[in-house]
Amino acid sequence: MLDLTLLRNFVVVARTGSISLAALQIGRTQSALSMQMQRLEQTITQPLFHRSGSGMRLTAAGEKLLAHAETLLAQHDEILADMSGASLKGTLSLGCPEDYSIAFLPALLKGFCALHPNVELRMVCAPTSELRPMLVRRQIDMALVSLSDAGAREVIREERFVWVANEAEPKILTQDVLPLALAAPMSLDYRAACAAMDAVNRRYRVAYASNSLAGLIAIARSGHAISVLTRTAVPFDLHVVSAGLPLLPTIGIALEFSEAKPSLLATTLAEHVRTVLPGLKTKAEID
């Protein structure tokens, strides 16, 4: 007989690829969790992991069990909620770019958590380029991601990229080669900024590149470079710069999932996000 607790812990280990990280999430010791995984392998009578110094990777049997376990656990939680009339219960991991987490998540999660107080949400902040591989590896259940096509059918909300500096008309605009502070090269804002500058033959150099929003804001505040942020992520003490710089594109925000058939928890949160996010007023918009 399969123990549901073992299956839940197996899913966490499979998604994190690490006993130590899974133990921190679950709240058990590494040795206890290792023994649980060994017990589960004895029950299945097949090895579930390839173990190495760099972590734990699922075997073919492990991949098969993971798919069954996620389906079984989702059905179990749904049945309990339906039969008891109680609110949803369980754990859900949500990925989100850092600028969206600052602008949107407090209002989004406050409403959702009030409706479903027994749902434990685990947040992962990372750029879209990093969130998508995590979805493929099923390390997170769902994610808010950025799309270059703001008119795509799955877009929930549009956001505009803007140039940001410590002054409305920063002195560095007079430099022949404009210094920029941008996110990592695979990001939409990096590509949008470079494409916009190339389109008008404006000379520039990437003086600072990082996926840290705090780092980009710090450089913009120092006056040493101009950065690119979504309009909602612009702090009150920085300025949107328009004069002398090309227009930046609008992007879309969408939800993506790790499973073709998301769990009840994931679909419930998705419905909440699709209802609330389009009309959500951020501080930048209110100001």
Side-chain angles (χ1 to χ4, degrees):
M1 180 181 295
L2 289 171
D3 184 318
L4 288 180
T5 299
L6 287 186
L7 286 181
R8 287 191 191 278
N9 292 350
F10 164 72
V11 170
V12 178
V13 174
R15 287 185 169 182
T16 59
S18 165
I19 283 287
S20 58
L21 290 177
L24 286 173
Q25 289 191 21
I26 295 167
R28 296 187 67 92
T29 65
Q30 293 184 40
S31 58
L33 189 56
S34 293
M35 290 179 63
Q36 283 189 338
M37 294 305 100
Q38 292 170 10
R39 201 160 87 235
L40 185 58
E41 287 179 321
Q42 292 171 359
T43 302
I44 299 296
T45 68
Q46 294 185 70
L48 300 173
F49 298 97
H50 296 293
R51 294 170 171 83
S52 67
S54 59
M56 302 178 69
R57 184 168 50 87
L58 289 174
T59 62
E63 291 282 1
K64 184 183 293 186
L65 179 61
L66 179 61
H68 286 307
E70 289 176 330
T71 300
L72 178 61
L73 291 170
Q75 290 176 341
H76 171 268
D77 293 343
E78 187 173 354
I79 290 169
L80 279 183
D82 182 54
M83 297 304 295
S84 65
S87 61
L88 290 172
K89 295 181 180 180
T91 301
L92 187 68
S93 52
L94 171 66
C96 183
E98 192 176 359
D99 49 350
Y100 299 161
S101 73
I102 294 172
F104 304 131
L105 282 192
L108 282 177
L109 298 188
K110 181 180 179 181
F112 180 80
C113 292
L115 292 170
H116 306 287
N118 295 318
V119 174
E120 178 186 349
L121 283 173
R122 294 175 181 157
M123 293 303 309
V124 176
C125 286
T128 294
S129 58
E130 295 180 14
L131 291 173
R132 285 203 170 107
M134 295 175 74
L135 287 168
V136 172
R137 294 193 296 267
R138 290 183 286 195
Q139 293 176 319
I140 53 177
D141 296 305
M142 56 192 295
L144 278 171
V145 297
S146 300
L147 302 181
S148 58
D149 181 6
R153 181 177 57 83
E154 62 269 34
V155 166
I156 301 170
R157 180 187 176 110
E158 295 181 1
E159 282 297 319
R160 184 166 60 94
F161 281 140
V162 292
W163 303 101
V164 177
N166 64 338
E167 298 175 326
E169 297 182 6
K171 298 177 180 63
I172 57 175
L173 279 177
T174 62
Q175 296 183 17
D176 291 336
V177 181
L178 185 66
L180 300 179
L182 303 176
M186 290 298 292
S187 64
L188 286 181
D189 43 342
Y190 184 104
R191 300 202 303 263
C194 294
M197 297 293 270
D198 291 339
V200 297
N201 296 316
R202 179 70 157 92
R203 296 178 65 196
Y204 67 94
R205 64 185 176 90
V206 180
Y208 183 89
S210 171
N211 277 334
S212 167
L213 179 63
L216 296 177
I217 289 174
I219 293 295
R221 282 176 175 149
S222 74
H224 291 301
I226 290 178
S227 189
V228 172
L229 304 175
T230 53
R231 180 66 185 88
T232 55
V234 180
F236 71 93
D237 60 330
L238 292 181
H239 298 266
V240 174
V241 181
S242 54
L245 291 174
L247 187 67
L248 291 168
T250 295
I251 60 171
I253 302 176
L255 279 170
E256 294 184 0
F257 302 87
S258 61
E259 302 291 340
K261 293 183 178 180
S263 68
L264 177 63
L265 289 181
T267 54
T268 302
L269 177 57
E271 289 172 5
H272 177 78
V273 170
R274 292 187 181 111
T275 300
V276 176
L277 184 57
L280 191 62
K281 294 293 183 182
T282 65
K283 187 177 184 302
E285 292 170 315
I286 294 171
D287 294 344

